[in-house]
Amino acid sequence: MATLKDVAAAAGVSPATASRALSEPGSVATAGRERVLRAAAQLGYRVNPAARALRSGRSGHLGLVLPDLANPFFASVAKGVQARARELGRTVLVADTEEDPALELDLVARLREQVDGVILCSSRMPESQLRSHADAGRVVLVNRELDGVPSVSVDNADGVRQGLEHLRALGHRTVAYAGGPASSWSDQRRREAFAAVEGITVVDLGPGRPVAARGVAAADLALGSAATAVVAYNDLVALGVLDQLRTRGVRVPEEMSVIGFDDIPAAALVHPPLTTVTLPLREVGRRAVELVVATADADPSDPPAVVRELLGVELVVRGSTAPAAAGAARSQA
Amino acid sequence: MATLKDVAAAAGVSPATASRALSEPGSVATAGRERVLRAAAQLGYRVNPAARALRSGRSGHLGLVLPDLANPFFASVAKGVQARARELGRTVLVADTEEDPALELDLVARLREQVDGVILCSSRMPESQLRSHADAGRVVLVNRELDGVPSVSVDNADGVRQGLEHLRALGHRTVAYAGGPASSWSDQRRREAFAAVEGITVVDLGPGRPVAARGVAAADLALGSAATAVVAYNDLVALGVLDQLRTRGVRVPEEMSVIGFDDIPAAALVHPPLTTVTLPLREVGRRAVELVVATADADPSDPPAVVRELLGVELVVRGSTAPAAAGAARSQA
DNA sequence: TTGTAAGCGTTATCAG
DNA sequence: CTGATAACGCTTACAA
C-alpha cells in the first residue's frame, strides 16, 4: 500500500506539501500540486483513515442509532442518512438497538468514540439519560425533541389534525386512537393533538406495541365502543386493525374507517388500500446528516447552534376511509 | 480523555503492560493486571480506536454492502449482521448501493480500506468485477456464489422445489413463474430449479424488477396463459399479483394459487395470507459475520479456507394456495 | 509557498 | 513476566 511519503517522494516534494496538495489544493503551487496528484493516481494512493483520524481527531464516520432496522420507518430514515452521508464523503456506522433502552445506552456510548457525530433516531431512552449524552455534544435527535439539542422531526400533530379533519368532514364524530408505546415521543405528540381537536370525541384504546398484533386487539376494542373510525399509531397497527375487522365481518370503510401513519409500502397493497399519513422520512435522514455534520465541523468553543427542524406531513387518502354511516352506528357485532 | 499512559501511570506499570493487561489478560501477573483494570475503570479509560487501528492494522469495523436497506429482505440480513457483530465487539459500516452496480463498485472499493472485512450482499456486479474485489480477500458473499470466495446463501433451488411439490400435490400441472431481475443470481438458481422439476409445465413470465408493480403486470400475463398457479420471485411481486387478480375478479386461491418468496411481514397481513418460502435471513447475516471475521483474523499467508454455506428454507403454507380447479382451468377472464 | 519535525495513542519487538 | 523503545501514516505548528 502506497503511503503519503511514497507519493511525496515520487512527486519530489515533502510529505507536508503532498498532504496539503491533497486536502487543501488551494494552498499549494500549481506545478507541485499537479505532480502530487499525478503521483497519487499513479501509485493508487489512498489515505489511511486510521492515521488521519488519530492525528486529526476526526474519523469521517457518522453514527446512526435506531430501534429496528427491519421496521420500514427506520429503514427509510436510514436510507436518507446513507444517501446524504455518501454525498458528503462520509461513512455511516449503524447500530440497531432492538428497541432495548439499555442496549441503546450502551451502543450510543460505544459509538460516540468512533464517530464525529451521532444521529439518534426515535430514542427510547428516558429524558435524563438522553440528556447526559446529548449534552456531551455532537448528537442530533430524530423524531424526538429535547431542549438545547438539535433535532429533526415530522409534524406529528399536524398529521393527526389532517386525519381528524378528514374524518370530521366525512361525518365522523367519535374516533378511536390505537396508540403506540407509552414511552414514544411521537405517540405523546399525537395524543396531545387528539386532545386539541374540537368537535370529535376520542376513544382512547390505550398504548401498545407498534405491531400488527396490537391492531388486532385494538380492532375489537374499537368495535366495543361508539367509534366509527380508528386512527392507528402506525400502519402496522392499522393493518392489524383492518385484518381483524375483516375477520369480524365488519366492512371497511363502509362500517368503520381506518387511518394509519407512516405510509409503509404495504399500506398501498392491502385491501382496501390504507388511508395514511405519509412522512418525509428520507428527507428527515438527510437533514439529520446536515445537522450532525454541521455540529461536528463547528468549532467546539463556538456557541452551539441548536436547530430544531419540523418537516411537513401529508394525509394520503386511499380506500379505508369513507363517510360515517348515517344515523346510528353500525349494528353491534 | 484518559489514555493508556494515564492508566499505566495510575497502576504503576508501563504502558506496554497496561496494554497487555487489557488485551491479553493471560500474559500479565494477577496483581498488576488487577491494578490496571481498576485504574482503567476508575479513569473511565476507553481505547482510542484510531490509534489501535493505525498500529495494529485492524479497525474492528465490518463493512456491509447491500442493494437497498428499505427492502425487508436486506433489512433482515442487516439485522442478523448487526446482532452478531455486536456480540463479537465489532461495529458495522453499512453502505446502500441503491441497486446501482456502478455505485456498488465505488462503495466496495472505498469501504474496503476502512474495514477488516466486507460482507457483500446480493451483489449486482458482473462476475469479472466481483472477482477482482473478492480475490483481494476479506470479502464474503451473501446470496451469491463464486468459485474460491466464501459465501452464505439460502437454498433457492430447494425453495422452488418445495413450492412446486406443494402445488403438484394440490393438482396443479401448469405453473407460471414471475421472475426477478435477469442479473439476479437467486433468480437464476430458481429458474434452474424450475427446469429440473418433472410433471409440471412452466410458463415463463419473463424477468422483471422485484416490486409490486411488476406483479400487477405478471398477473395479467398469467391469466392469459393456462397456468393455475403463479410462483413469484419474491413477496412484493406476489403481493402485486394478488392485488391484480382481485382487481380482475379472479378469486385466490380458488381460481388461482399464488406463492411468494422471502416471507416478509406483509405476507401474513394480506388476504388471503400469502403462501411463501421463508428464508433464515437473520441467520444468513450472522453466519456471514462469522465467516468474514474468520477470514479477517486468519493469517494472510495461510491457505484461505473457502467456506460455502447453504442455509435451509421452508415453505409456509397459508391461504393463497389451494387445489387446482377440477377439470378445465377457470373460465377465461 | 515549502520543508522540518513533532507527535496523535496504541501495540509489537526485543532485551532483561 | 515486564519495560523501554520504536514505529504505524498522517497532519500541523513553526520555521525558513
Side-chain angles (χ1 to χ4, degrees), chain A residues 4 16 19 45 52 55:
Chain A
L4 188 57
S19 173
Y45 170 75
R52 188 211 282 280
R55 180 60 234 228

Side-chain angles (χ1 to χ4, degrees), chain B residues 86-166:
Chain B
R86 183 172 50 73
E87 289 169 9
L88 297 175
R90 289 164 175 278
T91 42
V92 181
L93 272 160
V94 181
D96 182 319
T97 69
E98 296 171 14
E99 308 264 6
D100 177 350
L103 187 52
E104 179 184 349
L105 187 63
D106 181 52
L107 286 170
V108 172
R110 261 216 262 285
L111 216 52
R112 286 186 63 94
E113 304 160 357
Q114 323 221 22
V115 303
D116 298 341
V118 173
I119 296 170
L120 191 41
C121 192
S122 301
S123 175
R124 265 55 169 161
M125 278 197 249
E127 197 163 313
S128 58
Q129 285 181 357
L130 186 56
R131 182 166 292 290
S132 75
H133 275 292
D135 280 352
R138 302 181 310 153
V139 170
V140 168
L141 264 24
V142 165
N143 235 40
R144 177 139 178 192
E145 294 179 355
L146 197 59
D147 276 345
V149 183
S151 61
V152 183
S153 316
V154 295
D155 196 338
N156 284 294
D158 192 55
V160 169
R161 194 193 53 71
Q162 288 185 42
L164 291 181
E165 295 268 312
H166 171 61

Side-chain angles (χ1 to χ4, degrees), chain B residues 24-302:
Chain B
E24 307 173 72
S27 71
V28 167
T30 317
R33 185 201 323 156
E34 300 216 326
R35 267 180 298 135
V36 171
L37 263 29
R38 194 163 15 245
Q42 179 98 35
L43 297 172
Y45 169 76
R46 321 241 34 171
V47 57
N48 178 323
R52 188 209 281 281
L54 175 59
R55 178 63 237 218
S56 69
R58 14 196 80 263
S59 63
H61 298 321
L62 261 31
L64 173 62
V65 179
L66 38 71
D68 178 13
L69 261 178
N71 180 328
F73 180 98
F74 302 120
S76 290
V77 175
K79 282 209 72 137
V81 168
Q82 285 285 332
R84 189 67 186 123
R86 183 172 50 73
E87 289 169 9
L88 297 175
R90 289 164 175 278
T91 42
V92 181
L93 272 160
V94 181
D96 182 319
T97 69
E98 296 171 14
E99 308 264 6
D100 177 350
L103 187 52
E104 179 184 349
L105 187 63
D106 181 52
L107 286 170
V108 172
R110 261 216 262 285
L111 216 52
R112 286 186 63 94
E113 304 160 357
Q114 323 221 22
V115 303
D116 298 341
V118 173
I119 296 170
L120 191 41
C121 192
S122 301
S123 175
R124 265 55 169 161
M125 278 197 249
E127 197 163 313
S128 58
Q129 285 181 357
L130 186 56
R131 182 166 292 290
S132 75
H133 275 292
D135 280 352
R138 302 181 310 153
V139 170
V140 168
L141 264 24
V142 165
N143 235 40
R144 177 139 178 192
E145 294 179 355
L146 197 59
D147 276 345
V149 183
S151 61
V152 183
S153 316
V154 295
D155 196 338
N156 284 294
D158 192 55
V160 169
R161 194 193 53 71
Q162 288 185 42
L164 291 181
E165 295 268 312
H166 171 61
L167 290 174
R168 184 165 54 187
L170 292 174
H172 296 269
R173 292 296 174 265
T174 305
V175 175
Y177 178 53
S183 63
S184 158
W185 179 85
S186 294
D187 191 55
Q188 288 164 24
R189 295 297 81 71
R190 291 175 196 175
R191 279 219 148 71
E192 292 169 8
F194 265 100
V197 167
E198 299 186 353
I200 284 193
T201 304
V202 176
V203 178
D204 189 344
L205 268 22
R209 296 184 53 224
V211 297
R214 184 271 188 287
V216 170
D220 285 337
L221 258 30
L223 288 174
S225 77
T228 58
V230 179
V231 175
Y233 172 69
N234 69 10
D235 288 347
L236 251 24
V237 173
L239 260 26
V241 170
L242 243 36
D243 197 36
Q244 184 68 355
L245 289 177
R246 178 198 313 266
T247 301
R248 292 292 185 228
V250 177
R251 284 173 304 141
V252 175
E254 292 82 358
E255 297 180 273
M256 182 76 85
S257 287
V258 178
I259 294 185
F261 242 94
D262 295 358
D263 195 19
I264 64 177
L269 293 175
V270 295
H271 270 269
L274 190 62
T275 294
T276 186
V277 178
T278 188
L279 314 178
L281 299 176
R282 299 273 241 276
E283 186 58 22
V284 166
R286 298 183 67 93
R287 295 301 302 152
V289 170
E290 309 278 357
L291 253 48
V292 79
V293 166
T295 45
D297 286 348
D299 188 324
S301 61
D302 277 357

